[in-house]
Amino acid sequence: MSPPSLIETHPNLSGTAPVALSYELFPPRSPKAAESLWTTIGELEATDPDYVSVTYGASGSNRDTAVELINRLLLETTLRPLAHLTCVGNTPQELAEIIGELLDHGVRGILALRGDQPKDGGEQAKGSLRYAQDLIELIRRVEQRRSALLCAGKVAVGVAAYPTKHPESPSEAHDIEVLLAKQRSGADFAITQVFFRTEQYADLITRARRAGVTIPIVPGVMPLTSVRRLKRLGELTGVEPVPELLEQLASADTEAERLRIGVRATVDLANAALDAGAPGLHLYTFNEHAHALEVLDKLALPRPARSISRLNAIARRQVLAS
Ligand code: FAD
């Protein structure tokens, strides 16, 4: 047996690894929504997340507002954006242009998604990419053509993972095969769809690792504080909310009591994922900071030590934003 390598025994590689922190935002749909979003961005920035993801409408329905938000994040804040990109309804040529535009603006992280099929059940547009896997391959090709421009930072490509079966998929085993195929095509990490039961993230990790998925799988967690939002998300994603929690939230006597119940349930969900080895936590904010920050406050995540100059830059931004 060979002795442990110097890398394996290096003292700095032992101990608790820092946990990544990220938030999801969506491009605002009105000037009023933009104003409130920028208040939220200021509050979230103060927590020094590793990145914030910006959603993208299927078929590029909000391309301009998404690119504008990403640009402003890059130019006016200390935040690093992760740009979502969907391929449904767009040709490879159109997508290559968007990818090029994002890279030119300074984006170095893209979440490659298929996007939801049109509600009318119509066929995919002719010439449109079929699966997220195809989009990953396209991103890697665009990246390759610009490799000399990307010497100071390659593109990190993320994908979606599903703790409960994707609504169009025949089985959870098929979902894992798809995740493995996305990894083979060049995905660096995955973020999960929402899930509402504490065991679901650990189960996904067990299935994924057994099948050979090695990339980090970051749990996507939403604050479980609103009955209306939980039901709506359940309908949109096909993920069933927990009936007992819905009941408890609905029967809370006061707003403060409802918040306490919802935050407790979210913290339990996040802690279960962290106990199962989650490398990070991605909070679905719905462009609101208060409940996400309540959850964060109760979690005490081990976060990386930042340099004084970075902390000063964030503090300066807070002054400018106020
Ligand atoms: P895919 O991985 O392509 O999978 C789609 C379906 O096709 C699945 O049923 C899968 O099993 C099947 N499949 C995939 N590859 C193959 C194959 N090779 N052979 C056979 N079957 C296959 N939607 C948006 O519109 N905008 C967003 O910004 C957005 N952000 C999201 C962020 C996260 C973290 C998550 C989890 C979802 C997000 N979504 C977003 C929703 C997502 O677009 C939908 O869940 C969509 O239905 C599937 O996207 P996907 O990338 O998982 O697709």
Side-chain angles (χ1 to χ4, degrees):
M1 199 171 85
S2 55
S5 76
L6 277 178
I7 296 172
E8 279 165 20
T9 56
H10 194 284
N12 288 341
L13 294 182
S14 60
T16 320
V19 169
L21 171 66
S22 55
Y23 302 106
E24 181 185 280
L25 304 172
F26 57 83
R29 299 189 185 109
S30 67
K32 191 158 174 271
E35 204 181 310
S36 122
L37 171 62
W38 279 91
T39 305
T40 284
I41 287 172
E43 297 288 334
L44 298 179
E45 188 180 9
T47 66
D48 193 16
D50 296 284
Y51 58 93
V52 289
S53 81
V54 174
T55 65
Y56 191 82
S59 310
S61 51
N62 62 356
R63 173 177 172 169
D64 291 346
T65 40
V67 172
E68 188 189 329
L69 175 57
I70 288 166
N71 253 338
R72 281 195 66 188
L73 289 170
L74 281 164
L75 294 172
E76 298 175 27
T77 76
T78 58
L79 297 165
R80 299 177 192 90
L82 170 72
H84 294 209
L85 186 58
T86 58
C87 62
V88 75
N90 282 116
T91 64
Q93 187 55 44
E94 288 162 342
L95 289 163
E97 277 166 26
I98 303 167
I99 297 161
E101 187 182 352
L102 290 170
L103 298 186
D104 288 345
H105 287 309
V107 169
R108 293 294 179 266
I110 300 179
L111 193 65
L113 302 149
R114 185 199 65 182
D116 283 321
Q117 302 283 19
K119 287 270 180 296
D120 57 17
E123 284 289 297
Q124 283 225 15
K126 216 166 175 271
S128 150
L129 292 185
R130 192 153 184 211
Y131 296 121
Q133 190 187 347
D134 305 318
L135 180 57
I136 301 166
E137 285 167 17
L138 182 66
I139 294 168
R140 290 302 182 206
R141 281 193 188 197
V142 175
E143 179 186 37
Q144 209 172 21
R145 285 171 62 96
R146 289 163 185 255
S147 50
L149 301 173
L150 296 169
C151 288
K154 304 282 272 181
V155 182
V157 179
V159 292
Y162 296 89
T164 59
K165 191 182 79 60
H166 183 271
E168 294 163 43
S169 169
S171 64
E172 288 182 342
H174 175 85
D175 285 341
I176 296 292
E177 284 305 313
V178 169
L179 185 56
L180 192 59
K182 293 197 265 197
Q183 172 179 291
R184 281 200 206 104
S185 292
D188 296 303
F189 68 99
I191 301 178
T192 75
Q193 182 57 281
V194 290
F195 57 99
F196 301 127
R197 293 187 183 271
T198 47
E199 69 283 4
Q200 285 168 335
Y201 174 80
D203 289 350
L204 167 68
I205 296 301
T206 305
R207 282 182 278 118
R209 299 299 180 232
R210 203 177 284 151
V213 177
T214 53
I215 55 175
I217 301 175
V218 179
V221 170
M222 68 179 274
L224 308 172
T225 45
S226 156
V227 172
R228 183 186 55 77
R229 191 165 281 159
L230 276 166
K231 286 187 173 165
R232 175 98 184 103
L233 254 283
E235 283 162 21
L236 280 174
T237 62
V239 185
E240 188 86 2
V242 179
E244 297 81 28
L245 176 64
L246 290 179
E247 224 171 274
Q248 285 173 21
L249 290 170
S251 56
D253 290 332
T254 62
E255 189 61 19
E257 175 66 357
R258 187 179 59 75
L259 183 62
R260 195 191 57 76
I261 294 168
V263 168
R264 184 70 260 157
T266 318
V267 168
D268 288 347
L269 198 64
N271 272 332
L274 293 166
D275 288 347
L281 188 66
H282 186 65
L283 285 168
Y284 291 110
T285 66
F286 301 91
N287 287 6
E288 291 166 5
H289 55 276
H291 296 187
L293 294 185
E294 282 279 336
V295 170
L296 195 59
D297 188 53
K298 307 241 165 347
L299 277 172
L301 296 180
R303 297 281 297 135
R306 302 289 201 202
S307 69
I308 293 290
S309 51
R310 175 160 178 83
L311 298 178
N312 282 343
I314 294 168
R316 271 200 305 278
R317 253 282 304 158
Q318 297 302 304
V319 173
L320 282 175
S322 63

